[in-house]
Amino acid sequence: FSGSSLPIDFKIWDEINKQEDCKILQRRIGSIIESLESIGVMLDANDCSVMTVTRRTKNAITNRYNIENMEITRKDFMHEGGVLFDNRLKFSSHIQQICKKGRQICSLIIKNSTQFKKYETEVALYNSLVKPHLEYASTIWASANNIELQQLQQNFIYYLAKKYFPGENFQNAQYENLFKIEPLKFSAHH
């Protein structure tokens, strides 16, 4: 359950193992609504959503929740702390989203750097504008398949190689070393 008509988003997370747990959660929602109304804050069901997060493919326990007889919208995705969570915790949509953003920024760098004479300038732009998006909050989604992100970086390195060393035939690792672009970091240890 997520409410956002207040200046600050709030979430209620609850483990649902049986249908009775759904009833308990609905009572908690009702209690929160009463508490908010007692201080003059009205919460609209249209500004709220519910998402069931489970790895189960069958027999997932779901329920319709409501605020003052208005059903709360059910979602399959939710943003939290800059990360797109899906209801299976797979993060493929999140990775697609950050790849899209990374490609857009790379395109801007390439488009606006045609007159640059030193690759260091483009590397600095890449490291400061693209890489932070690719690595942001990776401790949460690092277990997901991140080949797309690595490919994006390899494509940028390939672009630099073709621009600054046309006709040369280095391996990708040699280019990474040459351009001083560190491998992407997708772990809790960065």
Side-chain angles (χ1 to χ4, degrees), residues 93-143:
S93 295
H94 175 74
I95 291 173
Q96 289 172 357
Q97 185 180 50
I98 59 177
C99 277
K100 180 180 178 184
K101 186 169 191 95
R103 282 191 294 273
Q104 289 171 338
I105 298 170
C106 281
S107 293
L108 281 172
I109 292 171
I110 291 168
K111 180 181 175 185
N112 292 299
S113 65
T114 56
Q115 301 300 316
F116 291 3
K117 302 292 184 219
K118 294 184 175 187
Y119 65 81
E120 291 88 352
T121 308
E122 290 180 75
V123 169
L125 288 170
Y126 174 83
N127 284 334
S128 62
L129 298 176
V130 178
K131 249 181 132 169
H133 290 286
L134 303 183
E135 295 177 336
Y136 177 76
S138 66
T139 53
I140 296 169
W141 52 264
S143 62

Side-chain angles (χ1 to χ4, degrees), residues 1 25 39 49-50 71 73 84 106 122 141 147 176 187 190:
F1 171 76
L25 179 56
I39 59 170
S49 61
V50 64
E71 188 173 334
T73 305
L84 181 61
C106 281
E122 290 180 75
W141 52 264
I147 292 170
E176 283 178 354
S187 71
H190 72 278

